[in-house]
Amino acid sequence: MSLTESQINESRREDRKKSRIIYMAAGAAVIFLFLFSLCFKTSEPGFISPKETFADLFTAFRLFFADLFHMPYGLKRSELLTELPNYQISLTRLARTVMFALSGMGVALAGAIFQTIYKNPMASPNIIGATAGVQFGNVLMIYSVGAAAVYYPLMRYKYCYILTAIIVVGVLLLGKVAGGQTKSYSVLEMVMAGSIVSQAVQVVTTYMMYNLEDDNLLAYQQLSMGTNIQTDFISMAVFGIAMVCSILPVFLMRFRFNVAGFTLDEATMQGINGRRFRAVGQICGVIMVTAAMVHCGDMGMISMAIPHLARYLVGADFRRVSVVSMLFGAGLMMGCRIVSSLIYIGTTELPVNFIISLCIMPVFLVVLARQRRGFE
């Protein structure tokens, strides 16, 4: 039974209406979680009243512009801050909330990118060695300066970003050679190449971890699990540049990014350079995940589970999957961050990746069991 044109148009209108509802609901949830997250302390379990929190932040913005334009309000800094006991806590919480929101957006979007390119629901930047590079960079940093690595963030960023770039380039070249193809690549060969290289790097990383002393091992755990988050100007600048420069190009390409899942022959027939979309997508996806892991620790299964949930709700069109994935990723990260802020082990809050795994596993299983939409 064939559908009439009016029935097809009606179906499209209903689909767009459903997508808009999901966008608005997810956007409202993200805004609420962002504002709610600002009302928690950073070094101990506790809650700051919204009134006090926003008074702190409003004062911070006023002081910033007063210093920028040499306004007299800035001269009252010491007097103002004595009346705001949680001023620094509020600023730190704002920085961490922004970092976790952007990290969730980036990791979820990276998963959607790789699943679209490889047309594989299990694909993620991990398959080409992104996470292995960060882990190796962290342990190498510990070997270089010991437990003091937590006080040299810029040096650690260099280690992690450079090593990740080297490993990813090596995996892509090995996958190309193993596939024996000059115009395209085999998904299977690329996954196998990534597994081999990642496993080799992981062996070296594990051996180096085994030889770490107790203090150094604790420092490595703090770096890899995200319990030691740097919010100084350099760290925020590096993180912000990496995230903006990787998320923005993909967001702008989202209307045509479906072509990245076509074969090169299919893309050529439509007059589109599919290779360019794939290259930009993979580079940006790796940068997103690397920045998230370097600055906020391991993100768990977000890159695999969130795109699944997005496709389940809005279909396989990347322009919708990308937006829903970013919103869900940001909301999940901030929600899990709120929960981890309430649970402390000694003087350290519970790593957020534990909460993420506990939240994602049941959702992932339900989506897989009831999945209706793939890469159609």
Side-chain angles (χ1 to χ4, degrees), residues 129-141:
T131 58
V134 176
Q135 293 170 351
F136 187 45
N138 283 332
V139 75
L140 195 60
M141 182 66 183

Side-chain angles (χ1 to χ4, degrees), residues 61-372:
F61 285 119
R62 290 185 68 183
L63 289 173
F64 172 77
F65 285 107
D67 294 340
L68 186 64
F69 297 106
H70 305 288
M71 299 169 62
Y73 183 80
L75 301 176
K76 303 178 182 179
R77 178 183 298 272
S78 59
E79 179 183 345
L80 290 169
L81 297 187
T82 55
E83 301 174 358
L84 302 172
N86 293 313
Y87 175 79
Q88 194 57 49
I89 293 176
S90 297
L91 291 185
T92 302
R93 188 69 188 189
L94 174 63
R96 293 186 178 182
T97 301
V98 170
M99 292 179 73
F100 272 87
L102 288 177
S103 294
M105 291 174 61
V107 172
L109 179 59
I113 291 170
F114 275 78
Q115 290 177 17
T116 299
I117 292 175
Y118 288 91
K119 299 189 72 172
N120 187 326
M122 299 304 292
S124 71
N126 300 349
I127 67 174
I128 59 173
T131 58
V134 176
Q135 293 170 351
F136 187 45
N138 283 332
V139 75
L140 195 60
M141 182 66 183
I142 297 294
Y143 255 78
S144 300
V145 299
V150 296
Y151 304 110
Y152 296 95
L154 189 58
M155 182 178 176
R156 184 171 70 88
Y157 301 156
K158 292 179 182 178
Y159 273 69
C160 292
Y161 281 103
I162 292 174
L163 287 173
T164 300
I166 293 173
I167 291 172
V168 168
V169 171
V171 169
L172 293 175
L173 292 177
L174 181 60
K176 196 76 169 180
V177 172
Q181 301 178 35
T182 58
K183 294 185 178 180
S184 185
Y185 54 82
S186 167
V187 172
L188 177 61
E189 301 294 347
M190 193 67 70
V191 171
M192 291 178 63
S195 299
I196 293 171
V197 174
S198 296
Q199 187 63 32
V201 174
Q202 189 63 43
V203 169
V204 177
T205 302
T206 303
Y207 175 77
M208 296 175 71
M209 287 175 55
Y210 180 78
N211 291 307
L212 291 177
E213 298 179 357
D214 292 342
D215 292 342
N216 293 343
L217 183 59
L218 179 61
Y220 173 77
Q221 292 174 345
Q222 291 177 342
L223 296 178
S224 61
M225 292 185 177
T227 55
N228 186 285
I229 301 174
Q230 303 291 333
T231 56
D232 57 279
F233 176 77
I234 294 295
S235 298
M236 293 297 295
V238 172
F239 174 79
I241 291 172
M243 279 297 179
V244 171
C245 292
S246 57
I247 292 177
L248 187 59
V250 177
F251 185 76
L252 295 176
M253 294 191 307
R254 70 189 187 281
F255 292 100
R256 303 180 67 192
F257 197 81
N258 287 320
V259 73
F262 296 171
T263 65
L264 291 180
D265 291 336
E266 291 172 339
T268 302
M269 289 176 62
Q270 299 185 40
I272 301 174
N273 188 350
R275 185 179 300 175
R276 181 183 60 189
F277 283 88
R278 289 179 174 180
V280 173
Q282 290 186 101
I283 292 171
C284 290
V286 168
I287 294 174
M288 293 175 203
V289 170
T290 303
M293 287 192 62
V294 169
H295 296 272
C296 298
D298 190 6
M299 300 286 113
M301 299 171 62
I302 286 182
S303 62
M304 284 195 297
I306 293 299
H308 272 290
L309 181 59
R311 282 196 302 274
Y312 176 79
L313 294 173
V314 297
D317 190 346
F318 186 82
R319 62 178 175 174
R320 296 177 181 174
V321 171
S322 59
V323 175
V324 174
S325 294
M326 287 192 292
L327 292 174
F328 283 6
L332 178 64
M333 280 299 302
M334 289 188 291
C336 292
R337 181 65 178 173
I338 290 172
V339 175
S340 69
S341 299
L342 300 174
I343 306 173
Y344 273 69
I345 303 175
T347 58
T348 305
E349 66 183 34
L350 185 70
V352 70
N353 61 328
F354 289 175
I355 308 298
I356 292 172
S357 298
L358 290 175
C359 292
I360 281 184
M361 282 191 293
V363 176
F364 199 15
L365 292 175
V366 170
V367 172
L368 287 177
R370 301 179 59 186
Q371 188 170 16
R372 298 174 299 179

